[in-house]
Amino acid sequence: MPWPGLLALAAAVFLSITTEMLPTGLLPEMSAGLGVAEPLVGLLVSVFAFAVVVTSAPLTALTSRMPRHGLLVAVLVVLGCSTLASALVSEYWMLVVVRIAGGIAHGVFWALVAAYAARLVGPAQIGRAVAVTLGGGTLALVAGVPATTALGQLLGWRPVFAIVAALTLGGALLVWRILPRVDSAGSPAAAARFRLGDPGLRPVLVVCAVTAVTMLGQYAVFTYVSPLLIVVLGFDPGLVGPLLFVYGVTGAAGLAVTGSAIARNPTRAIVAAMALAAAALLALGASLGDVPSLIAFAVWGLAFGAIPPLLYTRLLHATPESHRDAASALYTTAFNIGIGGGALVGAVVFGWIGVQVLPFLYAAVLVVAALVVMQAAGRGRVRAQPAGITGGTETRSIPLGVVPGTPPSRSSAIPEMVAAAAGPTRASTA
């Protein structure tokens, strides 16, 4: 395993996720500092995400023949500069503009990072490499978001944005110096595009649809987690940072659970995680008291911790190697449709009815997503004749996101990937 390169990518993922999620823990402080309502601050997450949605796939295509190493460094520099500008602007509309610039860089980054990690290793180690890389997102939830929330409450939100900007620029330097150059510019793998009829397109679209729906519900709630914890559940504002730390830790534990026998069947694992998250959200919405609410909040983190790595690894195994950049761009687009749409829907519901309704809406969304997963799994049961066997066929169940014909040993690679990564981090995306 090329550990220095993978850890450099994981550090970049950590900084990217921390930057994206900065407003979620600092809504009250940013609202007071900018003189706007909290839902408008929450919409900064939507603006960031919609910039990804609009630009990720076109820019990935436009830059397909550029060296991937230099492109990764460049987008990290843009992300760091936009975050620094966020700390310096004086008006809300200016902050919207610089968040759009950051979102554009973020989208290209996420279209590259998992495919880059896969290129550093052989086929048998792809799951592990991707898990280690995306585990930086877990560290962002465990440490990055809680730490920036606590620092923002102590120092103010502007210094925190400046600190994260400096770290991101440092991360760009780290990637430039440490990450091996595995440039594929000009090769078929860099320029490949999905076309109608491609065998890997349908399962990729299924994974992306499930991802978009799930993330929409997740970020309708998580974007407004501070007012949810303070206003609805009655926790002290000073406890928001520690509670987000608990959420991140249990999310990391969720990855470890997916490496157990429970996750041997990936479709059942995804459905079970969604069901558990829905139950936790219903308990949160019911506001049963401090201890039950704390348990429900931790269980929500545990359940959600399992969902993104399962979906993302499914995506990579559903996709031919030549199309992984394109598939990652589609996945990034779907993920950020969910993030931006969720923050927008949350803002509307927050302003119209109140933040207390959001957990119930997300629980309903998870039920819908679980039904889609089960329906897709049912359609994925095909009759296939294994290579080297004649005179008969066998019925083989093709799990969600796996191209028919993929060897069963690779189609169930998620437990291997999760077990390898469960030690340091949890795979996650934004």
Side-chain angles (χ1 to χ4, degrees):
M1 292 287 287
W3 286 107
L6 293 176
L7 292 177
L9 288 175
V13 169
F14 168 83
L15 293 165
S16 176
I17 293 294
T18 301
T19 298
E20 182 177 19
M21 294 291 104
L22 269 175
T24 61
L26 297 172
L27 255 66
E29 290 76 17
M30 294 181 71
S31 172
L34 294 167
V36 298
E38 289 185 5
L40 286 178
V41 177
L43 286 178
L44 292 172
V45 178
S46 291
V47 167
F48 193 95
F50 285 142
V52 175
V53 170
V54 173
T55 63
S56 179
L59 286 180
T60 301
L62 186 64
T63 59
S64 62
R65 297 190 181 277
M66 293 178 62
R68 312 329 258 166
H69 184 275
L71 186 58
L72 267 175
V73 174
V75 296
L76 284 171
V77 169
V78 173
L79 188 61
C81 291
S82 68
T83 307
L84 180 59
S86 298
L88 300 176
V89 297
S90 58
E91 300 291 338
Y92 175 79
W93 69 267
M94 297 177 182
L95 188 53
V96 169
V97 172
V98 295
R99 289 286 288 181
I100 289 173
I104 292 171
H106 183 82
V108 177
F109 172 81
W110 275 100
L112 298 175
V113 66
Y116 200 112
R119 291 188 182 109
L120 291 176
V121 298
Q125 294 178 310
I126 287 176
R128 181 180 298 180
V130 170
V132 171
T133 299
L134 301 185
T138 297
L139 191 59
L141 295 177
V142 172
V145 176
T148 54
T149 299
L151 280 175
Q153 292 172 343
L154 181 65
L155 304 176
W157 67 272
R158 293 182 187 276
V160 170
F161 270 76
I163 291 170
V164 174
L167 291 174
T168 303
L169 293 173
L173 178 62
L174 182 71
V175 169
W176 176 62
R177 293 294 301 272
I178 294 178
L179 185 65
R181 287 167 170 79
V182 191
D183 295 329
S184 57
S187 73
R193 301 288 174 268
F194 279 113
R195 294 176 176 83
L196 292 177
D198 284 353
L201 180 58
R202 182 182 177 277
V204 165
L205 291 179
V206 170
V207 172
C208 289
V210 171
T211 299
V213 171
T214 304
M215 296 308 122
L216 188 146
Q218 170 72 13
Y219 286 93
V221 182
F222 195 75
T223 302
Y224 304 98
V225 68
S226 291
L228 175 67
L229 291 172
I230 296 169
V231 177
V232 178
L233 301 181
F235 289 105
D236 186 85
L239 292 177
V240 172
L243 287 171
L244 289 175
F245 177 78
V246 170
Y247 181 93
V249 169
T250 57
L255 177 65
V257 170
T258 61
S260 70
I262 298 173
R264 295 301 179 184
N265 184 309
T267 299
R268 291 179 183 174
I270 292 172
V271 172
M274 289 177 174
L276 185 61
L281 287 156
L282 290 174
L284 279 177
S287 188
L288 302 175
D290 287 353
V291 174
S293 295
L294 176 60
I295 293 172
F297 191 67
V299 171
W300 174 24
L302 176 73
F304 184 74
I307 296 172
L310 290 172
L311 290 173
Y312 206 164
T313 304
R314 273 287 168 242
L315 180 89
L316 290 178
H317 283 288
T319 310
E321 183 177 358
S322 60
H323 289 69
R324 282 182 183 147
D325 280 1
S328 293
L330 290 175
Y331 180 86
T332 300
T333 299
F335 206 102
N336 283 275
I337 286 173
I339 293 176
L344 179 59
V345 169
V348 172
V349 174
F350 187 174
W352 181 33
I353 303 176
V355 71
Q356 70 276 4
V357 178
L358 293 175
F360 296 108
L361 292 179
Y362 183 22
V365 166
L366 284 170
V367 171
V368 172
L371 291 174
V372 171
V373 170
M374 290 188 291
Q375 184 180 26
R379 289 181 178 179
R381 296 183 179 278
V382 300
R383 297 189 65 82
Q385 182 170 321
I389 297 178
T390 59
T393 61
E394 75 171 22
T395 300
R396 188 188 307 164
S397 176
I398 307 296
L400 173 67
V402 177
V403 180
T406 301
S409 61
R410 299 307 309 149
S411 70
S412 58
I414 290 174
E416 172 195 338
M417 174 274 289
V418 172
T425 54
R426 167 190 136 250
S428 177
T429 64

